[in-house]
Amino acid sequence: MTGKLVVARSSAFSVGTLVRTAVEKGAAGLLVTRDTPGATQVLHNTGVTIPVVAATYEDGQALLDQLARGPVTVALNGRSESRYAYTVPLNFDGVLPADPTVRTQKADYAELRNEFHSDVTDRLANEIMHSWLPWEAGSFRTAHYVKAPAARSDYVLAADRRYSQNIGSVLVGAPYMSEPTRSYRAGERVSRDWWRGPAHPGTAGTACSYCRTDTKMTFAASPFADSDPSHSAGGGGVTASAARYYRDGEQIAKTADLLVAEPATYRLEWDLTRKLGPGIELGTHSRTAWTFRSQAPTGPGGPGCTAQFPGAAACAALPVILVGYDVPVDGRNRAPSGESFEFTVTTKRAAGYSGSASVAGLKVWTSVDGGGSWQAAQHVGLAGDGRHEVTVRHPKLDDTDGYVALKIETWDAAGNRTTQEITRAYALR
């Protein structure tokens, strides 16, 4: 892109008006510099059609001085996303020292290797890295943009600090993801994926997320989680949701009437839909049914029961089989067409469940015509650790609708069973 660069002096944080004015005047780019000494921070709305960059007061003044002497040619070279970022929360006891400089080295940091995924096309995300020192009760941070797909190493100062990374989207329909709050060791390396498909009802890992007393039950499945089971998922642009409840094959209209003290077989069905839109092409519909055996508990239950059910005399985790996926898709959630493809289906039980986590069987099917027809997986291997290797065959791209739908069924020897169907689980390339 070539053309005229507008240089504007402003100490305002939001420069949306400057951006719009520059676009209206036909500028090829906008450079914002402060009108008083200090660092420059700018915030502008998405959807602009020209580059917007910031310069320090000193660099901006030097450029303006050159412009006063005649025309200046400026070349802007940038990246759509930084390859690294540093989070350095600092504090001083008492008063600020005369020299507030703090020197650190790379060995003082933990490296968080982040892979930000999108749905086939680029997606603009909001990312926040919250941090807490031991004495801090809250954290406030300003979000910044991340253009997905992207890979970035976040270096966070270790020692006595706690962190929680949060990823949201400026697009309606993409779920909000957050990491559990935790500390890191200096030199520690952690890899994690954000929005890696398939988007499916997630499994909360906190205590008593799936448990019951004699009269009440919690079932904390989030609508459109990604492949990382540690993420808490919120939102997701749900446009339709339908839940049905059964006991011993009979549908129960009121959830207050669902539970009985004696042993019974329960089935919870959950249908979810989210609308296609810019940047939202995958995980458009899911249908899940959890079947499990349960009776009124007799023991006090594990950690979390008291918080979830204060005053309850007894509590127990439900034996529901929770499923997840580890699919090696690329940054746009695509897999290769015209060849065999391997991925992993995971099965586990709710936190606090003391019984066996093993399953007796697992079946997997794929569809490349939106669920019109289904093909059984070439291979499904059961594993004692709950990670089951699956091999499927992808047709050539021209013989598909461009997407793969998944259907799974898994069960154990005690009568617990889970089925799940995901439309547009991932795309093909």
PDB file of all heavy atoms in Angstrom, residues 15-49:
ATOM      1  N   VAL A  15      -8.610   6.749  19.715  1.00  0.00           N
ATOM      2  CA  VAL A  15      -8.346   7.580  18.534  1.00  0.00           C
ATOM      3  C   VAL A  15      -9.269   7.202  17.383  1.00  0.00           C
ATOM      4  O   VAL A  15      -8.931   7.399  16.225  1.00  0.00           O
ATOM      5  CB  VAL A  15      -6.866   7.469  18.108  1.00  0.00           C
ATOM      6  CG1 VAL A  15      -5.945   8.030  19.178  1.00  0.00           C
ATOM      7  CG2 VAL A  15      -6.513   6.007  17.804  1.00  0.00           C
ATOM      8  N   GLY A  16     -10.431   6.672  17.714  1.00  0.00           N
ATOM      9  CA  GLY A  16     -11.359   6.261  16.664  1.00  0.00           C
ATOM     10  C   GLY A  16     -11.739   7.399  15.736  1.00  0.00           C
ATOM     11  O   GLY A  16     -11.845   7.223  14.512  1.00  0.00           O
ATOM     12  N   THR A  17     -11.936   8.612  16.298  1.00  0.00           N
ATOM     13  CA  THR A  17     -12.303   9.760  15.461  1.00  0.00           C
ATOM     14  C   THR A  17     -11.177  10.116  14.509  1.00  0.00           C
ATOM     15  O   THR A  17     -11.403  10.418  13.320  1.00  0.00           O
ATOM     16  CB  THR A  17     -12.652  10.969  16.355  1.00  0.00           C
ATOM     17  OG1 THR A  17     -13.741  10.626  17.197  1.00  0.00           O
ATOM     18  CG2 THR A  17     -13.038  12.171  15.497  1.00  0.00           C
ATOM     19  N   LEU A  18      -9.923  10.069  14.982  1.00  0.00           N
ATOM     20  CA  LEU A  18      -8.783  10.348  14.116  1.00  0.00           C
ATOM     21  C   LEU A  18      -8.695   9.336  12.974  1.00  0.00           C
ATOM     22  O   LEU A  18      -8.397   9.696  11.835  1.00  0.00           O
ATOM     23  CB  LEU A  18      -7.484  10.323  14.925  1.00  0.00           C
ATOM     24  CG  LEU A  18      -7.225  11.489  15.874  1.00  0.00           C
ATOM     25  CD1 LEU A  18      -5.952  11.238  16.677  1.00  0.00           C
ATOM     26  CD2 LEU A  18      -7.110  12.796  15.106  1.00  0.00           C
ATOM     27  N   VAL A  19      -8.957   8.068  13.290  1.00  0.00           N
ATOM     28  CA  VAL A  19      -8.901   7.029  12.259  1.00  0.00           C
ATOM     29  C   VAL A  19      -9.951   7.298  11.186  1.00  0.00           C
ATOM     30  O   VAL A  19      -9.664   7.259   9.982  1.00  0.00           O
ATOM     31  CB  VAL A  19      -9.102   5.638  12.878  1.00  0.00           C
ATOM     32  CG1 VAL A  19      -9.185   4.570  11.784  1.00  0.00           C
ATOM     33  CG2 VAL A  19      -7.970   5.306  13.846  1.00  0.00           C
ATOM     34  N   ARG A  20     -11.177   7.574  11.619  1.00  0.00           N
ATOM     35  CA  ARG A  20     -12.251   7.806  10.644  1.00  0.00           C
ATOM     36  C   ARG A  20     -11.955   9.031   9.779  1.00  0.00           C
ATOM     37  O   ARG A  20     -12.195   9.019   8.571  1.00  0.00           O
ATOM     38  CB  ARG A  20     -13.583   7.963  11.376  1.00  0.00           C
ATOM     39  CG  ARG A  20     -14.105   6.674  11.995  1.00  0.00           C
ATOM     40  CD  ARG A  20     -15.539   6.820  12.490  1.00  0.00           C
ATOM     41  NE  ARG A  20     -15.626   7.765  13.602  1.00  0.00           N
ATOM     42  CZ  ARG A  20     -15.468   7.404  14.876  1.00  0.00           C
ATOM     43  NH1 ARG A  20     -15.191   6.148  15.188  1.00  0.00           N
ATOM     44  NH2 ARG A  20     -15.579   8.305  15.840  1.00  0.00           N
ATOM     45  N   THR A  21     -11.430  10.084  10.405  1.00  0.00           N
ATOM     46  CA  THR A  21     -11.110  11.291   9.641  1.00  0.00           C
ATOM     47  C   THR A  21     -10.022  11.009   8.609  1.00  0.00           C
ATOM     48  O   THR A  21     -10.102  11.463   7.454  1.00  0.00           O
ATOM     49  CB  THR A  21     -10.661  12.414  10.590  1.00  0.00           C
ATOM     50  OG1 THR A  21     -11.698  12.680  11.530  1.00  0.00           O
ATOM     51  CG2 THR A  21     -10.342  13.682   9.816  1.00  0.00           C
ATOM     52  N   ALA A  22      -8.993  10.260   9.014  1.00  0.00           N
ATOM     53  CA  ALA A  22      -7.909   9.926   8.086  1.00  0.00           C
ATOM     54  C   ALA A  22      -8.425   9.120   6.910  1.00  0.00           C
ATOM     55  O   ALA A  22      -8.035   9.343   5.757  1.00  0.00           O
ATOM     56  CB  ALA A  22      -6.809   9.162   8.826  1.00  0.00           C
ATOM     57  N   VAL A  23      -9.322   8.172   7.171  1.00  0.00           N
ATOM     58  CA  VAL A  23      -9.898   7.361   6.090  1.00  0.00           C
ATOM     59  C   VAL A  23     -10.724   8.241   5.153  1.00  0.00           C
ATOM     60  O   VAL A  23     -10.628   8.134   3.922  1.00  0.00           O
ATOM     61  CB  VAL A  23     -10.751   6.224   6.671  1.00  0.00           C
ATOM     62  CG1 VAL A  23     -11.516   5.500   5.556  1.00  0.00           C
ATOM     63  CG2 VAL A  23      -9.890   5.233   7.439  1.00  0.00           C
ATOM     64  N   GLU A  24     -11.536   9.130   5.730  1.00  0.00           N
ATOM     65  CA  GLU A  24     -12.370  10.014   4.907  1.00  0.00           C
ATOM     66  C   GLU A  24     -11.530  10.927   4.018  1.00  0.00           C
ATOM     67  O   GLU A  24     -11.941  11.278   2.904  1.00  0.00           O
ATOM     68  CB  GLU A  24     -13.268  10.859   5.813  1.00  0.00           C
ATOM     69  CG  GLU A  24     -14.357  10.054   6.526  1.00  0.00           C
ATOM     70  CD  GLU A  24     -15.075  10.877   7.574  1.00  0.00           C
ATOM     71  OE1 GLU A  24     -14.711  12.069   7.751  1.00  0.00           O
ATOM     72  OE2 GLU A  24     -15.994  10.333   8.230  1.00  0.00           O
ATOM     73  N   LYS A  25     -10.345  11.321   4.484  1.00  0.00           N
ATOM     74  CA  LYS A  25      -9.481  12.209   3.712  1.00  0.00           C
ATOM     75  C   LYS A  25      -8.604  11.469   2.710  1.00  0.00           C
ATOM     76  O   LYS A  25      -7.800  12.078   2.006  1.00  0.00           O
ATOM     77  CB  LYS A  25      -8.589  13.011   4.659  1.00  0.00           C
ATOM     78  CG  LYS A  25      -9.353  13.919   5.631  1.00  0.00           C
ATOM     79  CD  LYS A  25     -10.155  14.983   4.892  1.00  0.00           C
ATOM     80  CE  LYS A  25     -10.825  15.935   5.873  1.00  0.00           C
ATOM     81  NZ  LYS A  25     -11.626  16.977   5.177  1.00  0.00           N
ATOM     82  N   GLY A  26      -8.749  10.144   2.658  1.00  0.00           N
ATOM     83  CA  GLY A  26      -8.003   9.371   1.670  1.00  0.00           C
ATOM     84  C   GLY A  26      -6.605   8.987   2.084  1.00  0.00           C
ATOM     85  O   GLY A  26      -5.773   8.656   1.225  1.00  0.00           O
ATOM     86  N   ALA A  27      -6.306   9.013   3.387  1.00  0.00           N
ATOM     87  CA  ALA A  27      -4.963   8.666   3.854  1.00  0.00           C
ATOM     88  C   ALA A  27      -4.690   7.176   3.665  1.00  0.00           C
ATOM     89  O   ALA A  27      -5.601   6.341   3.739  1.00  0.00           O
ATOM     90  CB  ALA A  27      -4.804   9.045   5.329  1.00  0.00           C
ATOM     91  N   ALA A  28      -3.425   6.841   3.456  1.00  0.00           N
ATOM     92  CA  ALA A  28      -3.017   5.440   3.340  1.00  0.00           C
ATOM     93  C   ALA A  28      -2.631   4.859   4.690  1.00  0.00           C
ATOM     94  O   ALA A  28      -2.501   3.640   4.833  1.00  0.00           O
ATOM     95  CB  ALA A  28      -1.847   5.305   2.372  1.00  0.00           C
ATOM     96  N   GLY A  29      -2.439   5.731   5.703  1.00  0.00           N
ATOM     97  CA  GLY A  29      -2.080   5.262   7.033  1.00  0.00           C
ATOM     98  C   GLY A  29      -2.150   6.397   8.027  1.00  0.00           C
ATOM     99  O   GLY A  29      -2.214   7.577   7.656  1.00  0.00           O
ATOM    100  N   LEU A  30      -2.152   6.041   9.327  1.00  0.00           N
ATOM    101  CA  LEU A  30      -2.205   7.030  10.401  1.00  0.00           C
ATOM    102  C   LEU A  30      -1.135   6.709  11.428  1.00  0.00           C
ATOM    103  O   LEU A  30      -1.031   5.576  11.896  1.00  0.00           O
ATOM    104  CB  LEU A  30      -3.577   7.024  11.078  1.00  0.00           C
ATOM    105  CG  LEU A  30      -3.725   7.877  12.345  1.00  0.00           C
ATOM    106  CD1 LEU A  30      -3.585   9.356  12.018  1.00  0.00           C
ATOM    107  CD2 LEU A  30      -5.074   7.603  13.028  1.00  0.00           C
ATOM    108  N   LEU A  31      -0.326   7.733  11.769  1.00  0.00           N
ATOM    109  CA  LEU A  31       0.654   7.599  12.829  1.00  0.00           C
ATOM    110  C   LEU A  31       0.274   8.584  13.920  1.00  0.00           C
ATOM    111  O   LEU A  31       0.132   9.786  13.670  1.00  0.00           O
ATOM    112  CB  LEU A  31       2.067   7.886  12.309  1.00  0.00           C
ATOM    113  CG  LEU A  31       3.213   7.694  13.320  1.00  0.00           C
ATOM    114  CD1 LEU A  31       4.460   7.203  12.611  1.00  0.00           C
ATOM    115  CD2 LEU A  31       3.513   8.975  14.087  1.00  0.00           C
ATOM    116  N   VAL A  32       0.077   8.058  15.148  1.00  0.00           N
ATOM    117  CA  VAL A  32      -0.324   8.888  16.272  1.00  0.00           C
ATOM    118  C   VAL A  32       0.865   9.057  17.199  1.00  0.00           C
ATOM    119  O   VAL A  32       1.527   8.082  17.566  1.00  0.00           O
ATOM    120  CB  VAL A  32      -1.497   8.253  17.044  1.00  0.00           C
ATOM    121  CG1 VAL A  32      -1.912   9.151  18.206  1.00  0.00           C
ATOM    122  CG2 VAL A  32      -2.677   8.003  16.114  1.00  0.00           C
ATOM    123  N   THR A  33       1.159  10.288  17.569  1.00  0.00           N
ATOM    124  CA  THR A  33       2.219  10.573  18.519  1.00  0.00           C
ATOM    125  C   THR A  33       1.685  11.514  19.588  1.00  0.00           C
ATOM    126  O   THR A  33       0.757  12.286  19.348  1.00  0.00           O
ATOM    127  CB  THR A  33       3.438  11.203  17.825  1.00  0.00           C
ATOM    128  OG1 THR A  33       4.457  11.446  18.796  1.00  0.00           O
ATOM    129  CG2 THR A  33       3.063  12.512  17.133  1.00  0.00           C
ATOM    130  N   ARG A  34       2.234  11.457  20.758  1.00  0.00           N
ATOM    131  CA  ARG A  34       1.766  12.301  21.855  1.00  0.00           C
ATOM    132  C   ARG A  34       2.122  13.762  21.602  1.00  0.00           C
ATOM    133  O   ARG A  34       3.122  14.068  20.932  1.00  0.00           O
ATOM    134  CB  ARG A  34       2.389  11.848  23.171  1.00  0.00           C
ATOM    135  CG  ARG A  34       1.792  10.566  23.727  1.00  0.00           C
ATOM    136  CD  ARG A  34       2.481  10.185  25.026  1.00  0.00           C
ATOM    137  NE  ARG A  34       2.319  11.208  26.061  1.00  0.00           N
ATOM    138  CZ  ARG A  34       1.350  11.213  26.961  1.00  0.00           C
ATOM    139  NH1 ARG A  34       0.423  10.258  26.934  1.00  0.00           N
ATOM    140  NH2 ARG A  34       1.288  12.147  27.874  1.00  0.00           N
ATOM    141  N   ASP A  35       1.336  14.656  22.178  1.00  0.00           N
ATOM    142  CA  ASP A  35       1.665  16.075  22.112  1.00  0.00           C
ATOM    143  C   ASP A  35       2.393  16.540  23.368  1.00  0.00           C
ATOM    144  O   ASP A  35       2.720  17.723  23.507  1.00  0.00           O
ATOM    145  CB  ASP A  35       0.405  16.920  21.889  1.00  0.00           C
ATOM    146  CG  ASP A  35      -0.708  16.575  22.866  1.00  0.00           C
ATOM    147  OD1 ASP A  35      -0.429  15.882  23.864  1.00  0.00           O
ATOM    148  OD2 ASP A  35      -1.857  17.001  22.633  1.00  0.00           O
ATOM    149  N   THR A  36       2.648  15.611  24.294  1.00  0.00           N
ATOM    150  CA  THR A  36       3.473  15.873  25.470  1.00  0.00           C
ATOM    151  C   THR A  36       4.399  14.674  25.667  1.00  0.00           C
ATOM    152  O   THR A  36       4.101  13.564  25.196  1.00  0.00           O
ATOM    153  CB  THR A  36       2.614  16.066  26.730  1.00  0.00           C
ATOM    154  OG1 THR A  36       1.796  14.908  26.923  1.00  0.00           O
ATOM    155  CG2 THR A  36       1.739  17.308  26.617  1.00  0.00           C
ATOM    156  N   PRO A  37       5.537  14.830  26.327  1.00  0.00           N
ATOM    157  CA  PRO A  37       6.468  13.704  26.509  1.00  0.00           C
ATOM    158  C   PRO A  37       5.797  12.513  27.189  1.00  0.00           C
ATOM    159  O   PRO A  37       4.932  12.664  28.055  1.00  0.00           O
ATOM    160  CB  PRO A  37       7.580  14.302  27.385  1.00  0.00           C
ATOM    161  CG  PRO A  37       7.545  15.764  27.079  1.00  0.00           C
ATOM    162  CD  PRO A  37       6.087  16.086  26.870  1.00  0.00           C
ATOM    163  N   GLY A  38       6.219  11.292  26.797  1.00  0.00           N
ATOM    164  CA  GLY A  38       5.688  10.072  27.383  1.00  0.00           C
ATOM    165  C   GLY A  38       5.384   9.029  26.327  1.00  0.00           C
ATOM    166  O   GLY A  38       5.468   9.287  25.118  1.00  0.00           O
ATOM    167  N   ALA A  39       5.071   7.833  26.803  1.00  0.00           N
ATOM    168  CA  ALA A  39       4.744   6.740  25.893  1.00  0.00           C
ATOM    169  C   ALA A  39       3.364   6.961  25.277  1.00  0.00           C
ATOM    170  O   ALA A  39       2.509   7.643  25.846  1.00  0.00           O
ATOM    171  CB  ALA A  39       4.783   5.407  26.637  1.00  0.00           C
ATOM    172  N   THR A  40       3.160   6.358  24.107  1.00  0.00           N
ATOM    173  CA  THR A  40       1.904   6.521  23.374  1.00  0.00           C
ATOM    174  C   THR A  40       1.129   5.212  23.372  1.00  0.00           C
ATOM    175  O   THR A  40       1.684   4.163  23.025  1.00  0.00           O
ATOM    176  CB  THR A  40       2.161   6.963  21.925  1.00  0.00           C
ATOM    177  OG1 THR A  40       2.979   8.131  21.928  1.00  0.00           O
ATOM    178  CG2 THR A  40       0.859   7.260  21.204  1.00  0.00           C
ATOM    179  N   GLN A  41      -0.125   5.266  23.783  1.00  0.00           N
ATOM    180  CA  GLN A  41      -1.024   4.121  23.690  1.00  0.00           C
ATOM    181  C   GLN A  41      -2.253   4.543  22.917  1.00  0.00           C
ATOM    182  O   GLN A  41      -2.791   5.633  23.146  1.00  0.00           O
ATOM    183  CB  GLN A  41      -1.457   3.641  25.074  1.00  0.00           C
ATOM    184  CG  GLN A  41      -0.409   2.819  25.808  1.00  0.00           C
ATOM    185  CD  GLN A  41      -0.970   2.235  27.083  1.00  0.00           C
ATOM    186  OE1 GLN A  41      -1.564   2.936  27.894  1.00  0.00           O
ATOM    187  NE2 GLN A  41      -0.800   0.940  27.269  1.00  0.00           N
ATOM    188  N   VAL A  42      -2.678   3.711  21.997  1.00  0.00           N
ATOM    189  CA  VAL A  42      -3.858   4.051  21.214  1.00  0.00           C
ATOM    190  C   VAL A  42      -4.819   2.883  21.211  1.00  0.00           C
ATOM    191  O   VAL A  42      -4.430   1.722  21.288  1.00  0.00           O
ATOM    192  CB  VAL A  42      -3.499   4.430  19.756  1.00  0.00           C
ATOM    193  CG1 VAL A  42      -2.625   5.668  19.728  1.00  0.00           C
ATOM    194  CG2 VAL A  42      -2.824   3.272  19.041  1.00  0.00           C
ATOM    195  N   LEU A  43      -6.089   3.204  21.124  1.00  0.00           N
ATOM    196  CA  LEU A  43      -7.158   2.226  20.999  1.00  0.00           C
ATOM    197  C   LEU A  43      -8.097   2.715  19.916  1.00  0.00           C
ATOM    198  O   LEU A  43      -8.493   3.882  19.919  1.00  0.00           O
ATOM    199  CB  LEU A  43      -7.923   2.077  22.313  1.00  0.00           C
ATOM    200  CG  LEU A  43      -9.156   1.172  22.284  1.00  0.00           C
ATOM    201  CD1 LEU A  43      -8.730  -0.272  22.112  1.00  0.00           C
ATOM    202  CD2 LEU A  43      -9.968   1.333  23.563  1.00  0.00           C
ATOM    203  N   HIS A  44      -8.418   1.828  18.956  1.00  0.00           N
ATOM    204  CA  HIS A  44      -9.349   2.227  17.903  1.00  0.00           C
ATOM    205  C   HIS A  44     -10.254   1.058  17.593  1.00  0.00           C
ATOM    206  O   HIS A  44      -9.980  -0.090  17.930  1.00  0.00           O
ATOM    207  CB  HIS A  44      -8.609   2.685  16.640  1.00  0.00           C
ATOM    208  CG  HIS A  44      -7.716   1.619  16.046  1.00  0.00           C
ATOM    209  ND1 HIS A  44      -8.171   0.661  15.189  1.00  0.00           N
ATOM    210  CD2 HIS A  44      -6.395   1.380  16.221  1.00  0.00           C
ATOM    211  CE1 HIS A  44      -7.171  -0.131  14.837  1.00  0.00           C
ATOM    212  NE2 HIS A  44      -6.091   0.270  15.443  1.00  0.00           N
ATOM    213  N   ASN A  45     -11.355   1.349  16.936  1.00  0.00           N
ATOM    214  CA  ASN A  45     -12.334   0.324  16.616  1.00  0.00           C
ATOM    215  C   ASN A  45     -11.797  -0.617  15.552  1.00  0.00           C
ATOM    216  O   ASN A  45     -10.908  -0.274  14.769  1.00  0.00           O
ATOM    217  CB  ASN A  45     -13.635   0.960  16.120  1.00  0.00           C
ATOM    218  CG  ASN A  45     -14.312   1.777  17.196  1.00  0.00           C
ATOM    219  OD1 ASN A  45     -14.187   1.462  18.366  1.00  0.00           O
ATOM    220  ND2 ASN A  45     -14.999   2.836  16.809  1.00  0.00           N
ATOM    221  N   THR A  46     -12.363  -1.821  15.517  1.00  0.00           N
ATOM    222  CA  THR A  46     -11.984  -2.766  14.475  1.00  0.00           C
ATOM    223  C   THR A  46     -12.641  -2.380  13.160  1.00  0.00           C
ATOM    224  O   THR A  46     -13.532  -1.547  13.098  1.00  0.00           O
ATOM    225  CB  THR A  46     -12.428  -4.188  14.863  1.00  0.00           C
ATOM    226  OG1 THR A  46     -13.860  -4.183  15.001  1.00  0.00           O
ATOM    227  CG2 THR A  46     -11.787  -4.619  16.168  1.00  0.00           C
ATOM    228  N   GLY A  47     -12.191  -3.037  12.090  1.00  0.00           N
ATOM    229  CA  GLY A  47     -12.809  -2.798  10.789  1.00  0.00           C
ATOM    230  C   GLY A  47     -12.197  -1.657  10.001  1.00  0.00           C
ATOM    231  O   GLY A  47     -12.707  -1.288   8.940  1.00  0.00           O
ATOM    232  N   VAL A  48     -11.103  -1.029  10.499  1.00  0.00           N
ATOM    233  CA  VAL A  48     -10.473   0.052   9.754  1.00  0.00           C
ATOM    234  C   VAL A  48      -9.729  -0.527   8.559  1.00  0.00           C
ATOM    235  O   VAL A  48      -9.317  -1.682   8.553  1.00  0.00           O
ATOM    236  CB  VAL A  48      -9.507   0.860  10.647  1.00  0.00           C
ATOM    237  CG1 VAL A  48     -10.249   1.514  11.786  1.00  0.00           C
ATOM    238  CG2 VAL A  48      -8.390  -0.022  11.175  1.00  0.00           C
ATOM    239  N   THR A  49      -9.556   0.304   7.545  1.00  0.00           N
ATOM    240  CA  THR A  49      -8.966  -0.171   6.282  1.00  0.00           C
ATOM    241  C   THR A  49      -7.564   0.355   6.056  1.00  0.00           C
ATOM    242  O   THR A  49      -7.001   0.133   4.977  1.00  0.00           O
ATOM    243  CB  THR A  49      -9.866   0.241   5.107  1.00  0.00           C
ATOM    244  OG1 THR A  49     -10.048   1.663   5.147  1.00  0.00           O
ATOM    245  CG2 THR A  49     -11.222  -0.453   5.196  1.00  0.00           C
TER     246      THR A  49
END
